[in-house]
Amino acid sequence: MSNQTKTLRVAGYLRVSTDEQKEKYGIPLQKAAIEGIIASKGLLDNGRPAMIFAGEQYLYKDEGVGGTIPLDERPAFYQMKEDIENAPGGVKPFDMVIVYRIDRFARKLRILLDVIDYFEEKGIQFISCSESIDTSNAFGKAMLGIIGVIAEWERETTKQRTQAGKEQAIDRGVYMGTSAPYGYKKNKEKRLEVLPQEAEIVKEIFELFVIQKKNTQQIADYLGSKKVLTPLPSSIYYQKREAGRKKVNSPYFWRDTTIR
């Protein structure tokens, strides 16, 4: 920063995926880290601050958005681009974007490089709090590429391990779905077992269709008249899943598509 002669206006980009919102990379922590970086830069030779926050409207938050999602499909990042492209008089609204970690921007190297190319084109610098990356110099740009490769490798390794674990579980007979399908329940080992109450309905549907030659709408109407619970209410009743939002339709309203 020794050659810097003017105060840089800073925007922040914060991102958490759905799983991470309850973990250690939450929005408040990321924001505090960015504020810390701004404060740590101190004053210029003329006594002015080296960096200032450009404004609350330039704190972009993508919550519940994964790092592999394309940039233009992220609401907050898209808004950032809109603010840059539509700036009055073509004057950029900020000089720098700071993130908490490189992987807050992207977990794929291609996406990360696209971000940096876009910022360079617009004359905007980029800093990562955790990795001490600053694209205002050649070393920072080189390190950014290296870290991006490592981040993508870690992501692929984690994905492979997760997939291998799922395949092993399936081989052991573990059901990987959130809730057991109609006619079954999950035991303590997460294996499927027949749920007699629902299984009887499955058998009855089969007989109505194959033996009595009724169509799916007739079967749906018949089950509704007998006040047989449809799959979702039934799964809640038999404690296969927790109750969610209140269902609008009757718990006995069967659709022909459900029968199919």
Side-chain angles (χ1 to χ4, degrees):
M1 306 292 290
S2 57
N3 296 326
Q4 184 181 332
T5 58
K6 70 172 186 176
T7 298
L8 297 177
R9 299 159 300 156
V10 175
Y13 179 77
L14 319 176
R15 182 188 66 78
V16 286
S17 69
T18 302
D19 293 337
E20 289 163 340
Q21 289 187 22
K22 297 181 181 179
E23 298 179 5
K24 58 184 178 180
Y25 300 137
I27 291 294
L29 182 147
Q30 293 183 46
K31 182 179 179 183
I34 290 172
E35 291 171 342
I37 287 290
I38 294 174
S40 72
K41 297 302 180 180
L43 302 176
L44 299 174
D45 293 340
N46 57 19
R48 294 179 179 178
M51 292 183 185
I52 60 171
F53 187 36
E56 193 67 30
Q57 70 270 37
Y58 301 122
L59 189 62
Y60 302 95
K61 306 173 186 177
D62 269 324
E63 301 186 57
V65 176
T68 60
I69 301 298
L71 297 174
D72 287 342
E73 293 181 19
R74 306 182 190 183
F77 187 86
Y78 186 81
Q79 183 61 54
M80 180 194 294
K81 289 183 66 176
E82 287 287 293
D83 290 343
I84 295 171
E85 300 290 345
N86 300 322
V91 179
K92 59 190 177 186
F94 42 80
D95 306 293
M96 176 178 290
V97 174
I98 301 182
V99 296
Y100 174 64
R101 283 170 50 117
I102 292 293
D103 62 9
R104 296 306 87 199
F105 250 133
R107 288 184 179 273
K108 284 189 174 181
L109 181 60
R110 178 183 53 78
I111 294 177
L112 179 61
L113 294 179
D114 285 346
V115 174
I116 304 309
D117 285 345
Y118 177 75
F119 286 158
E120 283 190 350
E121 178 188 331
K122 300 299 179 181
I124 295 173
Q125 298 176 32
F126 170 75
I127 285 182
S128 167
C129 299
S130 300
E131 292 92 356
S132 299
I133 297 299
D134 183 344
T135 60
S136 64
N137 59 71
F139 179 77
K141 292 178 183 177
M143 286 302 297
L144 180 65
I146 294 171
I147 291 173
V149 170
I150 294 173
E152 184 167 357
W153 174 76
E154 288 179 341
R155 171 183 168 273
E156 292 301 321
T157 300
T158 300
K159 186 168 67 173
Q160 290 173 7
R161 288 174 179 168
T162 301
Q163 183 61 34
K166 287 182 178 180
E167 290 174 355
Q168 289 178 1
I170 292 171
D171 288 342
R172 296 196 307 270
V174 173
Y175 179 71
M176 301 304 295
T178 303
S179 179
Y182 192 77
Y184 296 89
K185 63 179 179 180
K186 288 195 289 187
N187 60 22
K188 293 181 180 180
E189 289 74 36
K190 297 184 179 180
R191 291 181 171 85
L192 292 181
E193 292 181 351
V194 172
L195 179 60
Q197 297 90 332
E198 290 183 347
E200 286 302 316
I201 303 303
V202 175
K203 293 176 182 177
E204 188 170 13
I205 291 172
F206 183 82
E207 181 176 345
L208 289 169
F209 185 78
V210 176
I211 307 302
Q212 300 187 31
K213 305 300 182 182
K214 294 184 180 295
N215 62 40
T216 53
Q217 186 59 60
Q218 289 173 325
I219 298 173
D221 294 340
Y222 170 77
L223 295 178
S225 69
K226 287 188 62 179
K227 294 192 178 302
V228 174
L229 288 173
T230 56
L232 178 57
S234 182
S235 67
I236 295 172
Y237 180 81
Y238 291 112
Q239 300 180 338
K240 296 197 292 183
R241 70 165 69 198
E242 295 181 359
R245 292 181 298 176
K246 185 177 180 181
K247 190 173 174 63
V248 176
N249 293 326
S250 163
Y252 312 113
F253 178 70
W254 285 79
R255 299 180 183 276
D256 64 325
T257 52
T258 305
I259 301 299
R260 293 196 193 106

